[in-house]
Coordinates of all heavy atoms in Angstrom, one line a residue:
A146 N 4.9 -21.5 53.8 CA 6.4 -21.1 53.6 C 7.2 -22.4 53.9 O 6.9 -23.0 54.9 CB 6.8 -20.0 54.5
T147 N 8.1 -22.7 53.0 CA 8.9 -24.0 53.2 C 10.4 -23.7 52.9 O 10.7 -22.8 52.1 CB 8.4 -25.1 52.3 OG1 8.4 -24.6 50.9 CG2 6.9 -25.4 52.6
N148 N 11.2 -24.6 53.5 CA 12.6 -24.7 53.2 C 13.5 -23.5 53.5 O 14.7 -23.5 53.1 CB 12.8 -25.0 51.7 CG 12.1 -26.4 51.3 OD1 11.9 -27.2 52.1 ND2 11.7 -26.5 50.0
G149 N 13.0 -22.6 54.3 CA 13.9 -21.5 54.7 C 14.7 -21.8 55.9 O 14.3 -22.8 56.7
T150 N 15.8 -21.1 56.2 CA 16.4 -21.2 57.4 C 15.5 -21.0 58.6 O 15.4 -21.7 59.6 CB 17.7 -20.3 57.5 OG1 18.5 -20.6 56.4 CG2 18.4 -20.5 58.8
T151 N 14.7 -19.9 58.4 CA 13.5 -19.6 59.2 C 12.4 -19.4 58.3 O 12.5 -18.6 57.3 CB 13.8 -18.4 60.1 OG1 14.9 -18.6 60.9 CG2 12.6 -18.1 61.0
S152 N 11.3 -20.1 58.5 CA 10.1 -19.9 57.7 C 8.9 -19.4 58.4 O 8.7 -19.8 59.6 CB 9.7 -21.3 57.1 OG 10.7 -21.9 56.3
Y153 N 8.2 -18.4 57.8 CA 7.1 -17.8 58.5 C 5.9 -18.0 57.6 O 5.8 -17.6 56.4 CB 7.3 -16.3 58.6 CG 8.5 -15.9 59.4 CD1 9.7 -15.7 58.8 CD2 8.4 -15.7 60.8 CE1 10.8 -15.3 59.5 CE2 9.6 -15.3 61.5 CZ 10.8 -15.1 60.8 OH 11.9 -14.7 61.6

Side-chain angles (χ1 to χ4, degrees):
T147 58
N148 298 335
T150 303
T151 303
S152 298
Y153 302 91

